[in-house]
Amino acid sequence: MQGPFEAVRSILILQTKYIGDLVLASALANNLQIAYPDARIVFLCEARFASFLTAHGIAAETVAFKRASARGSVLQRGLELYRIVRELRRFAFDMTIDLVDSKTSHFIAMILNARIRVGYFPTERRLRRFERQSANVLAKPFGYGEAHFLYRYLSPLEALGVDLRVRFPSIQPQPVETARVLALLDKFGLRRNAFLVVHAGASFPGRRWQPERFAQVIDTISNETGLSAVLVGGPDEAEANDQIMARVKAPVVNLVGALSLETLLALLKEARLFLGNESGPMHIAAAAGTPVVGLFGLTNPIRWAPVGVPSVSLRPSMPCECVGGDQCRRTDPSKAFCVWRLEVDAVASAVRELLARTETASETAM
């Protein structure tokens, strides 16, 4: 590699979005580690995801921000931005890669003024008169001719002239977490590769399929296959899972709010299949190599489907016949309840089909 891309020793990846975005961006980090073996890769990310990135070698270090402060008063936002920039400047980055493509991330990249500054052109949101794109290496909004968001996050490689060697995210659990999960499986009488992981939550209400329908699918699949189910999710997702537990008749283990992201990855690695809404855990399951049935609403799976593993993405026909009433914001994927139109039979059929399609691989893994 010639010219300004030589001797890159430190790279900052700005990715301040959710865990699913970070999982997809891990493929970018893996490719950069191959192309620049001596470089230290640092992520700017939300504080609660920092340990996950460093524990699995996605980042050598992180600079964490607190989302609550970033959404607080003008003073709180200003102080948090000052703290972040001050901490980032100590690294003296050779390269910054702005995956966020926001007004704030443009500002941070400009202030850091690395020798190589990668950003998107055109930007996702049209720049105003007083704004400017400070990047000197311009990436396509979606690289390699692909529409999936993974290829938005891989597009900087194309702009840098770096070979695409790792096409999909692949994140393996730490041995200590695998041991912890095996102990959990033993405690609850579960066998490796013989249970479903079900995630009924999502970051936004409009992405959550009805809990009673999850319960029906769990019962149907359990009766037909003998597979148990394990419920996972964050502490703030307990209500939906309580509704499932109240309705389900099949054996179910409720681990909602009980697992770190590191342990969740190890659990997903041992699962036969993941069933859940469009969410971060869906992408973690795919990165762990577990087959995925993903449930989508207004969001198009062409952009956000699980990648790199056998999968089925279900989405109701569009345009949507609204079932959310006054709750819906019909153009906002986070507030449109189109996923509610997915029927239990269709989801159960998708689970059956994917179990059958991956049966040989499952028997080999046991």
Side-chain angles (χ1 to χ4, degrees), residues 14-74:
L14 294 102
Q15 178 54 291
T16 60
K17 297 184 179 180
Y18 297 96
I19 186 63
D21 299 271
L22 287 164
V23 168
L24 295 179
S26 71
L28 169 66
N30 288 343
N31 281 285
L32 291 170
Q33 286 168 344
I34 294 169
Y36 306 103
D38 298 324
R40 175 175 290 270
I41 296 178
V42 179
F43 268 73
L44 174 63
C45 66
E46 190 175 350
R48 60 184 169 143
F49 304 137
S51 65
F52 183 85
L53 296 180
T54 54
H56 297 99
I58 299 167
E61 292 185 54
T62 61
V63 173
F65 78 96
K66 298 176 182 177
R67 192 170 292 278
S69 298
R71 291 175 172 173
S73 66
V74 173

Side-chain angles (χ1 to χ4, degrees), residues 81-82 84-86 88-89 96 104-114 117 132 134:
L81 181 58
Y82 174 78
I84 290 168
V85 170
R86 185 175 180 181
L88 289 171
R89 292 188 75 168
T96 57
T104 301
S105 64
H106 296 164
F107 174 78
I108 292 173
M110 179 184 69
I111 291 295
L112 296 179
N113 196 31
R117 303 180 299 280
R132 67 185 183 91
S134 66

Side-chain angles (χ1 to χ4, degrees), residues 320-350:
C320 183
E321 298 172 6
C322 188
V323 292
D326 293 340
Q327 297 181 77
C328 269
R329 300 293 179 270
R330 300 188 184 197
T331 59
D332 184 345
S334 67
K335 297 176 182 177
F337 291 78
C338 305
V339 71
W340 286 3
R341 293 177 53 235
L342 290 175
E343 297 294 339
V344 168
D345 287 347
V347 176
S349 293

Side-chain angles (χ1 to χ4, degrees), residues 36 87 92 110 158 170-171 220 263 346:
Y36 306 103
E87 190 169 348
M110 179 184 69
E158 194 175 33
S170 178
I171 308 174
T220 298
T263 310

